[in-house]
Amino acid sequence: MKRTGIFLLLAVQALLFSACEKSFFEPDPADDPVSNFDALWREIDQGYSFFEFKNVNWDSTYHVYRGRVNSGTGTLALFNVMSDMLYTLRDGHVNLEAGFNRSRNWEWYLDHPDNYDANLIERNYFEDRQWYTGPLIHTIIDSIGYLRYGSFGQRFSEAQLDLVVARFSPLKGIIIDVRSNGGGFSSMTDLLASRFADQRRTTYFSVVKNGPGRNDFSAPVEVSIIPGGERQFTKPIIILTNRRSYSATTFFVAKMLALPHVRVVGDWTGGGAGTPVGAELPNGWTVRYSSTQTFLPDGFNIEHGTPPHIRIDMSEADRAQGKDSILERALAELR
Amino acid sequence: MRLTVVYLLLLFALPGLGQEKRTAAPKRSLSLYLGGGAAWETYRDRAMSPLLYEGIQGAAMLGFDIQGAKMLHRVEGRFWAGETSAQRRGGTTENLAFAVNGSHLKRLSAADAPWQWRAGPAVLVWGSLRYHTGLVNSNYFYDLFGSVGPSGSVERSIKMLRRRWTAGWQMSVPVFSWGLRPTYSGLVAATPEEELTAAPYLEEARFGAFKVLTGVQSRLHLRYPLPNENALMLVYHWDVFSSRLGHHPVTHAMNGLQLNLSIKLSR
């Protein structure tokens, strides 16, 4: 009996101690419409990076939308109010994900010409001679290399990229078509750009939100383009862009703009130069928002896109003749 | 599956090969122990979510005791892996965690006293990494804490089922700590991989007493003697810590139950 008591004494003492566990934890956050609305507003308030650049008065935004939420607001109505509030940020990297729907703002390309027709290129330029090297589609048009990369979210290997560069190395120029490339992995932009760099060059500067204050940012970090791979193609290169060239594609173009043998033809890229981060709300919904800013060496903020050297849209007349005006202009520049 | 069981049994038996036949009582004895079990993990990491995440984790443990006439030197590492989720409201995370306790305990009681009290300094380390499957870019969250602080233990021998069992409890608390937490946004400025250094990740690292970390490591064990002074140990671990380091507080608790095999190696 005594021995059992001793063991029980030790066990109860240790277990009682661990029962104090709750005292280490903060209480659960309230999960009601007002609390969730406030949590979303606060998360953006303390983490979003473009209030000043976009001239958004987030404090007044709170008062405008907070009035539409009360303790009886339903799930769908709450989602709509929150979506409307986030819409004012005019940012393709801002989304509220509720499981049943995702809020978004696609003004950055909807209000602009499409400027890309995949079928037209496949039918009239590829003529079934294109190679598919992973996600890299490439062919030779009139002694000019044409490389199509549709998404930085699709990874390719160094060997695959080196093969493309080797194929193009005897040619007098390359066209890199990243129109309607909506972005993806930043590491892919480094890899792709490395095969076209003649030397290390400064491309842009990046600052990261590092505190809850509106202007709490890290010191600017210099980002460089560095030559890589078996060989680099340093003859003339033209990049084709449209407004759907977004996020990582904007970073890629910004890197390539540092190279003297690169020009950009088409429309501005769509921007999206704030790296997005995510957070959770008390009701389990997640929000994604931009948390960095990116500046070209001359101080130009590329959140709204990078400008082309030659601004041109696809014309309907060309399209009717089976021609891509932007691609034709690039070919003419390189011939 | 059967082959795996055989391999595991062999793995457990291998340390026994190091045993020597006992000729005289050694001045110090070395016991190696290893085992596995499960733990219930609970945490709230405000860098990731305001929600409480919970889930069962697989657990493994490896350690040794060096016991002399007056001292007990104990080092043990515990490792956990598994998933957690936020009560059906939030996302899912994949988790890895570990805790290390190295203590140097001096006997305070008389050698023949029924209650064997010990106390001394301890080095405590906690580390955890979680990957949130529903977030982007800032989806890795981590903490790493190293501390020194006091540790105390009590052991009592119990005769039960015609065997001499040992029940014991050890508790350690951190006092002086160094801690590392994710950066404010969970990001560092985009830099080519070959130029990335650890410096930006160390932005939220601090050293300090109490404010950096509060916590407890508690270990309750029951030893069942086996031949040749080996033993089976049932161990209940409770690890909890809370930190306000950086901008986002984190609280983390692990309640684990493990079965260990203790192999005594004389020296």
Side-chain angles (χ1 to χ4, degrees):
Chain A
M1 192 61 201
K2 186 183 171 190
R3 63 197 173 217
T4 311
I6 289 165
F7 178 66
L8 279 177
L9 182 69
L10 276 174
V12 167
Q13 191 175 358
L15 291 171
L16 273 178
F17 211 79
S18 59
C20 306
E21 187 171 297
K22 285 206 182 303
S23 65
F24 281 85
F25 285 88
E26 296 173 23
D28 279 327
D31 179 14
D32 57 74
V34 174
S35 301
N36 280 297
F37 177 89
D38 285 348
L40 174 66
W41 183 87
R42 198 179 316 111
E43 181 70 37
I44 298 295
D45 181 57
Q46 298 180 354
Y48 188 63
S49 54
F50 290 117
F51 289 125
E52 190 174 326
F53 175 69
K54 295 187 175 180
N55 198 24
V56 172
N57 187 330
W58 194 238
D59 294 320
S60 68
T61 303
Y62 175 84
H63 296 296
V64 169
Y65 292 93
R66 171 64 183 80
R68 290 168 54 185
V69 179
N70 58 47
S71 58
T73 303
T75 303
L76 190 54
L78 179 65
F79 176 81
N80 289 336
V81 175
M82 288 176 163
S83 301
D84 290 349
M85 180 171 74
L86 294 177
Y87 197 87
T88 64
L89 297 172
R90 308 184 307 279
D91 192 327
H93 274 154
V94 173
N95 306 101
L96 179 65
E97 177 62 67
F100 59 86
N101 200 357
R102 184 175 71 239
S103 77
R104 65 271 169 190
N105 184 329
W106 287 341
E107 283 175 0
W108 46 276
Y109 71 82
L110 282 177
D111 295 340
H112 301 269
D114 196 35
N115 280 332
Y116 180 67
D117 185 338
N119 286 347
L120 187 151
I121 289 178
E122 186 157 2
R123 194 182 307 277
N124 301 318
Y125 293 91
F126 283 169
E127 298 172 340
D128 207 22
R129 288 180 287 109
Q130 75 275 30
W131 293 20
Y132 291 89
T133 306
L136 305 173
I137 306 170
H138 50 107
T139 190
I140 298 170
I141 306 170
D142 295 342
S143 303
I144 307 292
Y146 172 88
L147 171 62
R148 166 71 188 162
Y149 185 35
S151 170
F152 279 99
Q154 294 179 299
R155 292 185 186 275
F156 53 82
S157 68
E158 296 208 30
Q160 287 173 322
L161 181 58
D162 286 337
L163 183 148
V164 176
V165 174
R167 185 186 181 202
F168 286 167
S169 61
L171 306 178
K172 59 184 177 185
I174 295 179
I175 294 168
I176 302 173
D177 191 347
V178 287
R179 287 177 290 176
S180 298
N181 182 328
F185 302 111
S186 174
S187 56
M188 289 289 100
T189 70
D190 289 328
L191 181 56
L192 183 58
S194 69
R195 292 336 191 236
F196 307 110
D198 57 341
Q199 63 183 70
R200 181 195 178 97
R201 292 176 186 273
T202 300
T203 58
Y204 54 73
F205 292 85
S206 182
V207 296
V208 180
K209 199 78 170 53
N210 67 356
R214 297 272 166 83
N215 291 309
D216 287 345
F217 287 99
S218 66
V221 173
E222 180 184 323
V223 179
S224 300
I225 186 171
I226 303 166
E230 294 170 353
R231 69 184 90 190
Q232 296 82 43
F233 188 96
T234 55
K235 289 181 270 186
I237 295 170
I238 287 184
I239 302 173
L240 310 186
T241 55
N242 66 357
R243 287 293 293 173
R244 286 194 187 224
S245 304
Y246 193 70
S247 190
T249 311
T250 293
F251 286 119
F252 170 70
V253 174
K255 282 172 184 155
M256 296 291 281
L257 283 173
L259 304 176
H261 53 283
V262 169
R263 280 173 297 162
V264 180
V265 173
D267 201 349
W268 283 62
T269 65
T275 305
V277 297
E280 235 165 16
L281 303 180
N283 61 0
W285 295 356
T286 55
V287 59
R288 186 177 84 135
Y289 58 86
S290 303
S291 193
T292 69
Q293 294 193 72
T294 310
F295 305 91
L296 295 181
D298 62 3
F300 183 75
N301 190 322
I302 59 171
E303 166 60 7
H304 289 153
T306 54
H309 294 94
I310 301 171
R311 171 76 182 86
I312 180 174
D313 290 327
M314 283 178 73
S315 79
E316 286 307 314
D318 280 349
R319 196 191 292 256
Q321 293 178 31
K323 289 184 178 174
D324 179 332
S325 318
I326 297 173
L327 178 54
E328 288 292 336
R329 179 61 185 269
L331 288 167
E333 291 286 327
L334 290 171
R335 280 186 189 121
Chain B
M1 181 63 191
R2 267 179 289 181
L3 202 59
T4 308
V5 172
V6 171
Y7 282 143
L8 281 174
L9 289 173
L10 276 174
L11 185 70
F12 274 68
L14 275 176
L17 297 176
Q19 285 191 297
E20 297 166 8
K21 293 233 186 247
R22 183 168 173 176
T23 51
K27 285 183 180 174
R28 288 180 173 186
S29 66
L30 169 67
S31 294
L32 177 72
Y33 49 89
L34 69 167
W40 183 253
E41 182 177 21
T42 311
Y43 66 88
R44 177 177 280 122
D45 183 351
R46 293 301 300 269
M48 182 182 86
S49 173
L51 299 173
L52 194 68
Y53 273 71
E54 296 174 309
I56 196 159
Q57 311 289 302
M61 183 174 175
L62 185 67
F64 64 86
D65 285 355
I66 299 173
Q67 187 156 8
K70 289 187 175 177
M71 53 72 74
L72 169 65
H73 184 63
R74 172 174 288 160
V75 176
E76 60 184 35
R78 299 183 295 285
F79 310 91
W80 301 280
E83 281 190 354
T84 59
S85 60
Q87 302 154 332
R88 294 191 297 277
R89 279 188 296 169
T92 301
T93 65
E94 293 164 10
N95 299 17
L96 289 173
F98 73 93
V100 175
N101 183 316
S103 53
H104 184 81
L105 305 173
K106 192 173 178 185
R107 181 162 55 77
L108 304 175
S109 319
D112 54 352
W115 293 90
Q116 290 289 303
W117 292 91
R118 292 183 177 89
V123 174
L124 318 174
V125 181
W126 278 289
S128 60
L129 174 71
R130 39 202 162 271
Y131 169 72
H132 194 294
T133 56
L135 303 179
V136 290
N137 293 324
S138 60
N139 42 10
Y140 282 100
F141 301 87
Y142 52 87
D143 37 66
L144 180 63
F145 295 102
S147 300
V148 291
S151 182
S153 76
V154 58
E155 263 190 352
R156 165 89 198 208
S157 181
I158 310 163
K159 196 164 185 199
M160 200 160 60
L161 303 173
R162 286 182 288 176
R163 291 276 187 169
R164 189 148 286 283
W165 299 61
T166 310
W169 180 35
Q170 181 178 354
M171 195 181 85
S172 312
V173 293
V175 176
F176 296 101
S177 306
W178 175 86
L180 175 68
R181 289 278 292 143
T183 58
Y184 179 76
S185 61
L187 295 175
V188 297
T191 308
E193 272 176 31
E194 56 266 39
E195 300 198 334
L196 205 56
T197 66
Y201 293 101
L202 295 173
E203 198 175 286
E204 299 289 4
R206 301 279 185 283
F207 178 82
F210 301 112
K211 281 184 179 176
V212 169
L213 182 72
T214 53
V216 175
Q217 284 189 356
S218 169
R219 172 200 206 264
L220 180 70
H221 71 258
L222 184 64
R223 287 169 62 97
Y224 173 75
L226 296 176
N228 295 327
E229 297 182 63
N230 300 320
L232 274 177
M233 292 166 62
L234 186 65
V235 186
Y236 166 67
H237 269 287
W238 176 55
D239 287 83
V240 63
F241 65 78
S242 183
S243 174
R244 302 196 67 82
L245 173 65
H247 290 88
H248 304 292
V250 61
T251 307
H252 196 281
M254 197 77 83
N255 286 273
L257 195 62
Q258 292 174 162
L259 188 64
N260 291 346
L261 178 65
S262 172
I263 310 287
K264 188 160 189 180
L265 305 168
S266 302
R267 51 168 284 198

